[in-house]
Amino acid sequence: MNSAEDVPLYGRDPLLRALVPRLTGLKYDERSRAAREFQHDLPVVLVTGRHGMGRSAVLRELAAHYRGRLPLAHIRIAPTGATAFSAGGSDADGHLATDLVGVLMELARQLAPSYRRPFPVLLPGLFAVSSWDPGDDADRDAVCLRLARLLIACHQADEPEQELRQAWAAAVEARVEPVFPRAPGVFGVPGVPVPGAPGALGAPGVPVVPDAPGAPGASGVGTASISRALRREYAHRYRAGGERDWYRGRFPQLATGTDPLELLGDWYHQGGDYRRAVERTLVAAFRHDVAGSYGRLQRWNREPWPLVLLDDVHLPAGRRFLDLLLEHRAMSGSPEREELVVVATRLGEPPGSDPGPVRRELADLVRGSGWQRRGTAPSAGLLTVPLTPLSRDDVLPLLEAGSAGAPLHPYLASALHSLTGGHPAATTMLCSAVRAATRAGLAVAPRDLLELSAKDGRPVGEALLERLLPDRRQRDRLTLLSLARDSAAAEALATRLRLEGPEQLPANAVTDYLEQQHWQRLTPPESPLVTDPLLQKLLVHEARRLSPGPDDSRGWQEIHRFLQNHHAQRGDDGQADALRHMLAAGGVETVVASLAEEFQSERDERGAGHWLRCLRYAATAPTPPARDWEDDRLRIALGAHDGRYVHLDDTERCVNRLLHALWYLSEPHTEPDPDTCTAIEQELAYLSLRHPSWRVALGQAARRWPAAARDKRPLPIPGQ
């Protein structure tokens, strides 16, 4: 997570101080050993969660506590095509890698200093598949610098890295000879089989295909040619050992005298099944070297096992490495059992249809994970741990930490937790904004939370939305479309606002984006467009803040009036939605008149449930912009402004007070006070005595709704 805010690690101790020490054999913040839960077959720990749940913070904390105490590698996976290499060093959350070879290079480079003879098999394989785009000097320099750092880490060179980079670039380019397209079928070694059975790179019967991806450019030099030159330069500088025999064992049908490393590079640059087979071989080489580095002496001394931290393995490179590692570990005849502790993070949840992974809540990890491989599927090697939100008790220490100045509102912590649902990033950012405001001498009320400023001076809601929804285009669309009830209403609104783009329908595009970002799963057309409560609150608040004015077609009032008309066309099915949008647009008197008219005219006993549902849902309407509306809901609910409504009859005034009481309590930041809850009870009881057939239903609501409001629970509908 690249953020100025550090997500707190409250409630993460079962993972940090219990599970990982039992895996590595080393305590989290002590120099003493820890009893191991597993001896040979280790699970891959997969930490899951949405944006801002603190996945990266967990790995950052583990890296800070274990670095220098055991072999450790910390890598963040980047999307394919991203700039993954920086001459200046690492990203704050680990060194970056965009493909499987990059992941293996970083693993070898970071683990090598802890080993006496690091990666003798993997290293020549990595050189055999490395290359760069001919004529791209920046790409050449990046690859050569990465290889130079790898050689230095593996004790194969001791020159300054920039001098070593330049030497390798010059030596390789001197070895490259222009190549030109050849006849199909003569690339590589004729008759060498395509990869097949697990554990072996080859299987008989399928010939090698031409080198399409490595085809030469205008200069007559292809990436495969540079790869061969790199391998030959490595072989020239470092005498071959047993690694050739190891790779030869992966090519059962290889002709005598053929260099398996050259074939490894050729296959890699052909892509497709060939590259997948090479990647499988490189992961096997990595496991072989890690297993060989932990010998009898290390076992006698109970040396801690190496720790690998992989961030964002839902991206292709991380997913590929994890799949291959799990596949190798699941093979019953695997010759190596490397004791490698892997803790990885994934955005969102793993597929629920896969029965292989073992899932444990954080609280389950305190005394033992209970993980045991069940079945032969590779995914059986996973132990998934979802990160949970912060509790209400975690919020108050965050608000108080380092605060000084104006005293805090007594219910501010509860209001903040109700607003965020305990989401760590949102909680942290809002707590930081509160502390800054109090240090400036400002008193912060619960209703002011989203009006505060972030560290950079922007509104905190805007900064938080940018953190949670990185795509600005989709974020801007969602800000407007989140006011709609469902996909159909959102599409109608998008047409009205002329939200167009090169892709599919705007409403479908934003729901696809939310699903890709793991905020929600499949979104049925009739369900809310945004299902996450925190995200919905932030988007609606931003739409209100950015509203241009009451007469603008993109203004708050005009959008809600359009949506009110849209739902009114659906008759009774759309009545609750129409009332809610009318209330959001500021049409309080219209909503009161509609509810009172139905109350007085409807005689069917079954209509009570429909009326209560309309009342309850209408009262969840977002409030209009502050410049267009004065919030007197509480005073109106308690009857302080009854003098304004002398033109209404007793029933209409009662409905008006009841609507305002429910509307006031619907806000996540409001603390239900006894007077408002009592008012709800009294108004419903009054109405129950005024209706000939709804007395029972309204009487039940008068007893149950105040208790539900006090507990911030959904208001129950009698008979449901």
Side-chain angles (χ1 to χ4, degrees), residues 14 18-19 22-23 36-38 41-43 45 356-374 380 382-385:
L19 177 62
R22 292 199 306 269
L23 291 171
R36 289 195 175 106
E37 182 177 353
F38 308 99
D41 192 12
L42 303 178
V45 179
V358 173
R359 177 189 170 103
R360 292 288 183 268
E361 300 297 330
L362 283 168
D364 300 332
L365 304 176
V366 174
R367 299 192 179 277
S369 69
W371 178 86
Q372 186 177 6
R373 187 180 294 275
R374 298 168 186 170
L382 281 174
L383 172 62
T384 64
V385 181

Short mmCIF file of all heavy atoms in Angstrom, two decimals, residues 14 18-19 22-23 36-38 41-43 45 356-374 380 382-385:
data_model
loop_
_atom_site.label_atom_id
_atom_site.label_comp_id
_atom_site.label_asym_id
_atom_site.label_seq_id
_atom_site.Cartn_x
_atom_site.Cartn_y
_atom_site.Cartn_z
N PRO A 14 -2.67 -12.50 16.42
CA PRO A 14 -2.69 -13.95 16.17
C PRO A 14 -1.88 -14.36 14.94
O PRO A 14 -1.30 -15.45 14.91
CB PRO A 14 -4.18 -14.25 15.98
CG PRO A 14 -4.88 -13.20 16.76
CD PRO A 14 -4.04 -11.96 16.59
N ALA A 18 1.71 -15.26 16.67
CA ALA A 18 1.40 -16.67 16.95
C ALA A 18 1.70 -17.56 15.74
O ALA A 18 2.56 -18.44 15.82
CB ALA A 18 -0.07 -16.81 17.37
N LEU A 19 1.02 -17.33 14.62
CA LEU A 19 1.16 -18.25 13.49
C LEU A 19 2.55 -18.18 12.87
O LEU A 19 3.21 -19.21 12.68
CB LEU A 19 0.09 -17.95 12.44
CG LEU A 19 0.19 -18.80 11.17
CD1 LEU A 19 -0.01 -20.28 11.50
CD2 LEU A 19 -0.81 -18.35 10.12
N ARG A 22 5.34 -19.78 14.77
CA ARG A 22 5.25 -21.25 14.76
C ARG A 22 5.68 -21.82 13.42
O ARG A 22 6.03 -23.00 13.34
CB ARG A 22 3.82 -21.69 15.09
CG ARG A 22 3.38 -21.40 16.51
CD ARG A 22 2.18 -22.24 16.90
NE ARG A 22 1.08 -22.11 15.97
CZ ARG A 22 0.09 -21.22 16.07
NH1 ARG A 22 0.09 -20.37 17.08
NH2 ARG A 22 -0.88 -21.20 15.19
N LEU A 23 5.61 -21.03 12.36
CA LEU A 23 6.07 -21.48 11.04
C LEU A 23 7.58 -21.34 10.90
O LEU A 23 8.26 -22.26 10.43
CB LEU A 23 5.36 -20.70 9.94
CG LEU A 23 3.86 -20.96 9.75
CD1 LEU A 23 3.27 -19.95 8.79
CD2 LEU A 23 3.61 -22.37 9.25
N ARG A 36 7.84 -25.22 16.52
CA ARG A 36 7.25 -25.25 15.18
C ARG A 36 5.97 -26.08 15.18
O ARG A 36 5.90 -27.15 15.77
CB ARG A 36 8.24 -25.85 14.19
CG ARG A 36 9.43 -24.93 13.89
CD ARG A 36 10.16 -25.41 12.65
NE ARG A 36 11.23 -24.50 12.29
CZ ARG A 36 12.53 -24.75 12.46
NH1 ARG A 36 12.91 -25.89 13.00
NH2 ARG A 36 13.43 -23.87 12.10
N GLU A 37 4.98 -25.57 14.47
CA GLU A 37 3.73 -26.31 14.32
C GLU A 37 3.84 -27.37 13.24
O GLU A 37 3.19 -28.41 13.31
CB GLU A 37 2.59 -25.34 13.99
CG GLU A 37 1.23 -26.00 13.87
CD GLU A 37 0.11 -25.02 13.61
OE1 GLU A 37 0.35 -23.79 13.66
OE2 GLU A 37 -1.03 -25.47 13.36
N PHE A 38 4.69 -27.12 12.23
CA PHE A 38 4.85 -28.05 11.11
C PHE A 38 6.33 -28.38 10.95
O PHE A 38 7.20 -27.57 11.25
CB PHE A 38 4.32 -27.44 9.81
CG PHE A 38 2.91 -26.91 9.92
CD1 PHE A 38 2.68 -25.56 10.13
CD2 PHE A 38 1.83 -27.76 9.84
CE1 PHE A 38 1.40 -25.06 10.24
CE2 PHE A 38 0.54 -27.27 9.95
CZ PHE A 38 0.32 -25.92 10.15
N ASP A 41 5.83 -30.44 5.64
CA ASP A 41 4.81 -29.94 4.72
C ASP A 41 4.21 -28.66 5.29
O ASP A 41 3.42 -28.70 6.25
CB ASP A 41 3.72 -31.00 4.53
CG ASP A 41 2.79 -30.66 3.38
OD1 ASP A 41 3.12 -29.74 2.61
OD2 ASP A 41 1.73 -31.31 3.25
N LEU A 42 4.60 -27.53 4.72
CA LEU A 42 4.17 -26.24 5.24
C LEU A 42 3.03 -25.67 4.40
O LEU A 42 3.04 -25.79 3.18
CB LEU A 42 5.33 -25.23 5.23
CG LEU A 42 6.60 -25.60 5.97
CD1 LEU A 42 7.63 -24.50 5.80
CD2 LEU A 42 6.31 -25.82 7.43
N PRO A 43 2.07 -25.00 5.04
CA PRO A 43 1.05 -24.30 4.24
C PRO A 43 1.59 -22.97 3.74
O PRO A 43 2.47 -22.36 4.34
CB PRO A 43 -0.08 -24.08 5.25
CG PRO A 43 0.62 -23.94 6.56
CD PRO A 43 1.82 -24.87 6.49
N VAL A 45 0.53 -19.31 3.60
CA VAL A 45 -0.44 -18.47 4.30
C VAL A 45 -0.88 -17.37 3.34
O VAL A 45 -0.06 -16.56 2.88
CB VAL A 45 0.15 -17.88 5.58
CG1 VAL A 45 -0.88 -16.99 6.29
CG2 VAL A 45 0.62 -18.99 6.51
N GLY A 356 -10.30 -26.82 -1.63
CA GLY A 356 -8.96 -27.17 -1.19
C GLY A 356 -8.43 -26.36 -0.03
O GLY A 356 -7.97 -26.91 0.98
N PRO A 357 -8.45 -25.00 -0.11
CA PRO A 357 -7.83 -24.21 0.96
C PRO A 357 -8.52 -24.38 2.30
O PRO A 357 -9.74 -24.58 2.37
CB PRO A 357 -7.98 -22.76 0.46
CG PRO A 357 -8.22 -22.87 -1.01
CD PRO A 357 -8.93 -24.16 -1.21
N VAL A 358 -7.75 -24.31 3.36
CA VAL A 358 -8.28 -24.29 4.72
C VAL A 358 -8.41 -22.83 5.14
O VAL A 358 -7.45 -22.07 5.03
CB VAL A 358 -7.36 -25.06 5.69
CG1 VAL A 358 -7.84 -24.90 7.12
CG2 VAL A 358 -7.30 -26.53 5.30
N ARG A 359 -9.57 -22.44 5.60
CA ARG A 359 -9.82 -21.05 6.01
C ARG A 359 -9.85 -20.96 7.53
O ARG A 359 -10.50 -21.79 8.19
CB ARG A 359 -11.14 -20.56 5.42
CG ARG A 359 -11.52 -19.13 5.84
CD ARG A 359 -12.93 -18.81 5.40
NE ARG A 359 -13.40 -17.56 5.97
CZ ARG A 359 -13.49 -16.42 5.31
NH1 ARG A 359 -13.12 -16.37 4.04
NH2 ARG A 359 -13.95 -15.32 5.89
N ARG A 360 -9.15 -19.98 8.07
CA ARG A 360 -9.14 -19.76 9.51
C ARG A 360 -9.32 -18.26 9.79
O ARG A 360 -8.68 -17.43 9.14
CB ARG A 360 -7.83 -20.24 10.14
CG ARG A 360 -7.64 -21.74 10.12
CD ARG A 360 -8.56 -22.42 11.10
NE ARG A 360 -8.33 -23.86 11.12
CZ ARG A 360 -8.98 -24.75 10.38
NH1 ARG A 360 -9.92 -24.32 9.54
NH2 ARG A 360 -8.72 -26.03 10.47
N GLU A 361 -10.14 -17.94 10.76
CA GLU A 361 -10.25 -16.57 11.23
C GLU A 361 -9.03 -16.24 12.09
O GLU A 361 -8.35 -17.13 12.61
CB GLU A 361 -11.53 -16.37 12.04
CG GLU A 361 -12.81 -16.66 11.26
CD GLU A 361 -13.02 -15.73 10.08
OE1 GLU A 361 -12.55 -14.57 10.17
OE2 GLU A 361 -13.63 -16.16 9.09
N LEU A 362 -8.76 -14.96 12.26
CA LEU A 362 -7.59 -14.55 13.04
C LEU A 362 -7.62 -15.15 14.45
O LEU A 362 -6.60 -15.62 14.96
CB LEU A 362 -7.53 -13.03 13.11
CG LEU A 362 -7.01 -12.32 11.86
CD1 LEU A 362 -7.27 -10.82 11.96
CD2 LEU A 362 -5.54 -12.59 11.65
N ALA A 363 -8.78 -15.16 15.07
CA ALA A 363 -8.87 -15.67 16.44
C ALA A 363 -8.54 -17.15 16.52
O ALA A 363 -8.14 -17.64 17.59
CB ALA A 363 -10.26 -15.40 17.00
N ASP A 364 -8.69 -17.88 15.42
CA ASP A 364 -8.43 -19.32 15.42
C ASP A 364 -6.94 -19.63 15.43
O ASP A 364 -6.56 -20.80 15.63
CB ASP A 364 -9.06 -19.98 14.19
CG ASP A 364 -10.56 -19.79 14.14
OD1 ASP A 364 -11.17 -19.64 15.21
OD2 ASP A 364 -11.13 -19.79 13.03
N LEU A 365 -6.09 -18.64 15.21
CA LEU A 365 -4.66 -18.89 15.03
C LEU A 365 -3.86 -18.80 16.33
O LEU A 365 -2.66 -19.06 16.33
CB LEU A 365 -4.07 -17.89 14.03
CG LEU A 365 -4.72 -17.84 12.65
CD1 LEU A 365 -4.09 -16.73 11.82
CD2 LEU A 365 -4.58 -19.17 11.94
N VAL A 366 -4.51 -18.46 17.43
CA VAL A 366 -3.77 -18.17 18.65
C VAL A 366 -3.01 -19.39 19.14
O VAL A 366 -1.81 -19.33 19.45
CB VAL A 366 -4.73 -17.65 19.74
CG1 VAL A 366 -3.99 -17.48 21.06
CG2 VAL A 366 -5.35 -16.33 19.30
N ARG A 367 -3.65 -20.54 19.21
CA ARG A 367 -3.00 -21.74 19.76
C ARG A 367 -2.54 -22.72 18.68
O ARG A 367 -1.64 -23.51 18.92
CB ARG A 367 -3.95 -22.45 20.73
CG ARG A 367 -4.33 -21.57 21.91
CD ARG A 367 -5.01 -22.37 23.00
NE ARG A 367 -5.33 -21.51 24.13
CZ ARG A 367 -4.49 -21.19 25.10
NH1 ARG A 367 -3.24 -21.65 25.06
NH2 ARG A 367 -4.87 -20.42 26.10
N GLY A 368 -3.14 -22.69 17.53
CA GLY A 368 -2.74 -23.59 16.45
C GLY A 368 -3.66 -23.39 15.28
O GLY A 368 -4.86 -23.11 15.45
N SER A 369 -3.11 -23.52 14.07
CA SER A 369 -3.93 -23.27 12.88
C SER A 369 -4.84 -24.43 12.55
O SER A 369 -5.87 -24.26 11.91
CB SER A 369 -3.02 -22.97 11.69
OG SER A 369 -2.30 -24.14 11.30
N GLY A 370 -4.44 -25.64 12.96
CA GLY A 370 -5.23 -26.81 12.61
C GLY A 370 -5.15 -27.18 11.14
O GLY A 370 -5.92 -28.02 10.67
N TRP A 371 -4.18 -26.57 10.42
CA TRP A 371 -4.06 -26.88 8.99
C TRP A 371 -3.49 -28.27 8.79
O TRP A 371 -2.54 -28.69 9.47
CB TRP A 371 -3.17 -25.87 8.29
CG TRP A 371 -2.97 -26.17 6.83
CD1 TRP A 371 -3.77 -25.80 5.80
CD2 TRP A 371 -1.90 -26.92 6.24
NE1 TRP A 371 -3.28 -26.26 4.61
CE2 TRP A 371 -2.13 -26.96 4.85
CE3 TRP A 371 -0.79 -27.58 6.77
CZ2 TRP A 371 -1.27 -27.62 3.97
CZ3 TRP A 371 0.06 -28.24 5.89
CH2 TRP A 371 -0.18 -28.25 4.51
N GLN A 372 -4.06 -28.98 7.85
CA GLN A 372 -3.53 -30.27 7.41
C GLN A 372 -3.93 -30.46 5.96
O GLN A 372 -5.07 -30.18 5.59
CB GLN A 372 -4.10 -31.40 8.28
CG GLN A 372 -3.48 -32.76 7.99
CD GLN A 372 -4.01 -33.85 8.91
OE1 GLN A 372 -4.91 -33.60 9.71
NE2 GLN A 372 -3.46 -35.03 8.83
N ARG A 373 -2.97 -30.91 5.16
CA ARG A 373 -3.27 -31.09 3.74
C ARG A 373 -4.37 -32.12 3.57
O ARG A 373 -4.25 -33.25 4.05
CB ARG A 373 -2.01 -31.51 2.99
CG ARG A 373 -2.20 -31.56 1.47
CD ARG A 373 -0.92 -31.99 0.78
NE ARG A 373 0.13 -31.00 0.95
CZ ARG A 373 0.28 -29.95 0.16
NH1 ARG A 373 -0.57 -29.73 -0.83
NH2 ARG A 373 1.27 -29.11 0.36
N ARG A 374 -5.41 -31.73 2.87
CA ARG A 374 -6.54 -32.63 2.63
C ARG A 374 -6.73 -32.79 1.14
O ARG A 374 -7.17 -31.88 0.46
CB ARG A 374 -7.81 -32.06 3.26
CG ARG A 374 -7.71 -31.92 4.78
CD ARG A 374 -8.85 -31.09 5.35
NE ARG A 374 -8.66 -30.84 6.77
CZ ARG A 374 -9.40 -30.00 7.49
NH1 ARG A 374 -10.37 -29.32 6.90
NH2 ARG A 374 -9.16 -29.84 8.77
N ALA A 380 -4.87 -27.34 -1.82
CA ALA A 380 -4.93 -27.87 -0.46
C ALA A 380 -3.75 -27.40 0.37
O ALA A 380 -3.76 -27.54 1.60
CB ALA A 380 -4.98 -29.39 -0.49
N LEU A 382 -2.97 -24.33 0.79
CA LEU A 382 -3.23 -22.96 1.21
C LEU A 382 -3.90 -22.91 2.58
O LEU A 382 -4.79 -23.70 2.88
CB LEU A 382 -4.13 -22.25 0.20
CG LEU A 382 -3.51 -21.73 -1.09
CD1 LEU A 382 -4.60 -21.19 -2.01
CD2 LEU A 382 -2.48 -20.65 -0.81
N LEU A 383 -3.48 -21.95 3.37
CA LEU A 383 -4.16 -21.59 4.61
C LEU A 383 -4.58 -20.13 4.46
O LEU A 383 -3.74 -19.22 4.49
CB LEU A 383 -3.23 -21.76 5.82
CG LEU A 383 -3.75 -21.22 7.16
CD1 LEU A 383 -5.02 -21.96 7.58
CD2 LEU A 383 -2.67 -21.35 8.24
N THR A 384 -5.85 -19.87 4.24
CA THR A 384 -6.32 -18.51 3.99
C THR A 384 -6.77 -17.86 5.29
O THR A 384 -7.47 -18.48 6.11
CB THR A 384 -7.48 -18.48 2.97
OG1 THR A 384 -8.60 -19.18 3.52
CG2 THR A 384 -7.07 -19.15 1.68
N VAL A 385 -6.37 -16.61 5.47
CA VAL A 385 -6.68 -15.85 6.69
C VAL A 385 -7.26 -14.50 6.27
O VAL A 385 -6.51 -13.62 5.83
CB VAL A 385 -5.44 -15.65 7.56
CG1 VAL A 385 -5.80 -14.89 8.83
CG2 VAL A 385 -4.78 -16.98 7.90
#
